[in-house]
């Protein structure tokens, strides 16, 4: 069996990546996901991991509503804030289409995968309003040389 520290970290990673208030992860789901990492465990150990995560300051919420499970209660950025940042990047004319897509992919990691999928379906990047790569590189080089 893998170390309990590794398991606790993986539980946090799974909750961070796949859970939110609308998509809590149940204990059996977490146990199944851990099997992909070669970790087998019992239900009670998941509760202990969640308690440890809460004890050190992570906001892991236990829900008993229509779907029992756990989710990350608070993140660095709220969904609306990530949506605002994605909108700003996609509409910024001085950012190339490729760089916009790269930045949006990074911004998607700030929310759960379910929330990211919802955001992506709402994003449209108009290549006609974006600058080309040469102009962007010149602007970027010029602005960094001044600092």
């Amino acid at each position: 069996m893998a170390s309990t520290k590794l398991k606790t970290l993986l539980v946090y990673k799974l909750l961070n990546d796949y859970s939110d208030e609308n998509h809590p992860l149940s204990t059996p789901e977490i146990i199944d996901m851990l099997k992909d990492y070669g970790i087998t465990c019992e239900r009670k150990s998941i509760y202990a991991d969640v308690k440890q995560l809460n004890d050190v300051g992570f906001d892991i919420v236990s829900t008993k509503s229509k779907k029992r499970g756990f989710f990350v209660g608070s993140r660095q950025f709220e969904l609306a804030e990530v949506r605002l940042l994605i909108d700003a990047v996609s509409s910024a004319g001085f950012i190339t289409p490729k760089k916009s897509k790269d930045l949006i992919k990074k911004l998607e990691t700030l929310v759960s995968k379910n929330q990211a999928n919802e955001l992506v379906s709402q994003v449209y990047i108009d290549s006609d309003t974006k600058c080309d790569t040469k102009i962007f590189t010149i602007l970027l080089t010029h602005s960094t040389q001044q600092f």
Side-chain angles (χ1 to χ4, degrees):
M1 181 176 183
S3 80
T4 55
K5 291 178 188 176
L6 175 61
K7 183 171 70 65
T8 304
L9 289 172
L10 284 171
V11 167
Y12 178 72
K13 178 183 177 358
L14 294 171
L15 290 170
N16 192 55
D17 289 352
Y18 297 101
S19 76
D20 55 61
E21 54 273 1
N22 296 321
H23 304 94
L25 286 180
S26 68
T27 305
E29 288 173 323
I30 295 170
I31 291 170
D32 282 345
M33 292 171 134
L34 288 171
K35 287 178 185 174
D36 293 340
Y37 293 93
I39 296 175
T40 57
C41 61
E42 293 184 18
R43 177 182 49 83
K44 289 181 181 180
S45 71
I46 300 298
Y47 299 131
D49 292 332
V50 169
K51 183 182 179 327
Q52 282 183 328
L53 290 168
N54 279 318
D55 288 348
V56 296
F58 291 104
D59 182 20
I60 308 299
V61 178
S62 173
T63 180
K64 294 179 179 163
S65 60
K66 59 184 175 181
K67 183 176 181 199
R68 294 180 78 128
F70 304 98
F71 64 90
V72 175
S74 61
R75 298 173 184 268
Q76 289 287 31
F77 291 90
E78 294 176 17
L79 182 61
E81 294 169 325
V82 175
R83 182 173 286 129
L84 176 74
L85 291 170
I86 287 174
D87 288 347
V89 167
S90 62
S91 64
F94 61 90
I95 303 175
T96 65
K98 181 183 179 339
K99 192 61 177 173
S100 291
K101 288 177 184 174
D102 292 344
L103 288 169
I104 289 169
K105 285 272 184 230
K106 290 179 181 180
L107 289 169
E108 289 171 4
T109 65
L110 299 173
V111 295
S112 74
K113 293 193 185 294
N114 292 311
Q115 291 171 326
N117 288 336
E118 292 172 23
L119 290 174
V120 170
S121 67
Q122 300 169 4
V123 174
Y124 170 74
I125 299 174
D126 185 5
S127 297
D128 294 338
T129 62
K130 296 289 194 173
C131 71
D132 66 16
T133 307
K134 285 183 181 179
I135 294 171
F136 178 73
T137 305
I138 291 169
L139 289 172
L140 186 62
T141 304
H142 181 65
S143 66
T144 55
Q145 288 175 350
Q146 290 185 1
F147 295 107

